[in-house]
Amino acid sequence: MEQIKVVEIKEDIRSRNNEQAQSIKDELKKKKVFFLNVMSSPGSGKTTLLVNLINRLKKDFRIGVIEADIDSDVDAYTVSEATGVKVIQIHTAGACHLTCQMSYEALCALGLDGLDFVILENIGNLVCPAEFDTGAAANMVLLSVPEGEDKPLKYPLMFEVADLVVVTKSDVQPAFDFSLERARENVGMRKTGVPVFFTSAIKDEGVDALENYLRKEINDYISR
């Protein structure tokens, strides 16, 4: 009987995705555009935090934003109205994540000329988006206080690909059994040395440290 060839489709897709991701990184490096991929659960406060950060950084950097959702333009409208920066909305037609091809098409639609810093607000979930490299220079993962500090234990890949982790909604910590130290420990179990920031975008608490960190990352990237 003739031997049947078995093809690992998922691995093949990832391999091709990663090749294209590297091409995007190389192109963005030439153009000196820092590309940040922001991932988290739905309702973790991504949009609120990004509005706060963009309004802090826009006086020094030319910023563009890509909002990714299965449907609706709510977040794109919110960011555009609250910050005045260039924003586009992309729909994934039901997909729970962005592939590198989607990322590339979104970057082309946004247009990179005249920009220093591009933010991708990825689809809200802690599983699928972590599986695909978007070509970003860095991945920022949010973990909100109401979710609990155990999420790095339950969703390992998301925190393994994180370059920085931001704990959000710290203003509601008194109402939840949430320990920042346990959160740090759990993140560290997935990836050693990842910086963890504790913030409340609504109260404007802890955002200074995150802003300073991103400012340095962007400047270092642009000046290389």
Side-chain angles (χ1 to χ4, degrees):
M1 184 175 180
E2 186 177 351
Q3 188 176 3
I4 302 298
K5 183 177 181 181
V6 178
V7 179
E8 295 291 343
I9 296 296
K10 189 173 184 181
E11 196 59 41
D12 185 51
I13 291 172
R14 281 184 180 174
S15 176
R16 285 186 280 115
N17 186 87
N18 291 342
E19 289 177 7
Q20 187 173 11
Q22 188 57 54
S23 296
I24 291 175
K25 290 175 184 178
D26 292 342
E27 183 64 24
L28 290 173
K29 188 60 188 172
K30 289 178 185 176
K31 293 181 176 292
K32 296 187 179 296
V33 178
F34 186 84
F35 185 25
L36 179 68
N37 178 28
V38 183
M39 298 182 285
S40 77
S41 298
S44 65
K46 288 193 297 297
T47 306
T48 302
L49 178 63
L50 290 178
V51 165
N52 188 314
L53 284 170
I54 290 167
N55 281 329
R56 288 164 171 263
L57 294 168
K58 67 182 182 181
K59 63 180 180 294
D60 298 310
F61 302 106
R62 297 166 296 176
I63 301 172
V65 178
I66 300 167
E67 288 290 342
D69 284 296
I70 291 174
D71 204 348
S72 148
D73 60 358
V74 172
D75 289 343
Y77 180 81
T78 298
V79 173
S80 178
E81 288 293 299
T83 68
V85 302
K86 188 177 183 180
V87 183
I88 65 164
Q89 176 75 59
I90 62 172
H91 291 157
T92 63
C96 60
H97 62 276
L98 260 67
T99 63
C100 200
Q101 180 61 33
M102 294 176 187
S103 175
Y104 174 74
E105 291 175 9
L107 288 166
C108 290
L110 178 69
L112 298 175
D113 291 344
L115 296 179
D116 308 304
F117 182 27
V118 173
I119 301 168
L120 166 62
E121 184 174 350
N122 214 318
I123 299 288
N125 78 74
L126 289 177
V127 182
C128 308
E131 295 185 352
F132 292 86
D133 191 336
T134 61
N139 294 318
M140 184 169 85
V141 175
L142 275 55
L143 169 64
S144 69
V145 166
E147 292 174 77
E149 73 270 356
D150 61 348
K151 292 304 171 287
L153 307 180
K154 295 182 177 182
Y155 302 94
L157 183 59
M158 178 60 71
F159 293 87
E160 288 169 6
V161 302
D163 296 295
L164 66 154
V165 173
V166 182
V167 176
T168 59
K169 304 187 179 182
S170 64
D171 53 296
V172 300
Q173 186 182 13
F176 294 88
D177 179 21
F178 185 100
S179 164
L180 177 58
E181 288 312 308
R182 285 198 299 267
R184 286 186 191 278
E185 290 172 7
N186 292 341
V187 169
M189 288 176 64
R190 296 308 180 194
K191 190 172 184 179
T192 304
V194 175
V196 179
F197 299 88
F198 197 49
T199 67
S200 169
I202 291 291
K203 298 287 186 180
D204 204 27
E205 296 171 353
V207 187
D208 287 350
L210 177 59
E211 175 199 354
N212 291 336
Y213 176 88
L214 288 174
R215 187 181 294 279
K216 183 178 185 305
E217 289 294 302
I218 298 166
N219 279 324
D220 287 349
Y221 182 91
I222 290 173
S223 64
R224 284 185 204 134

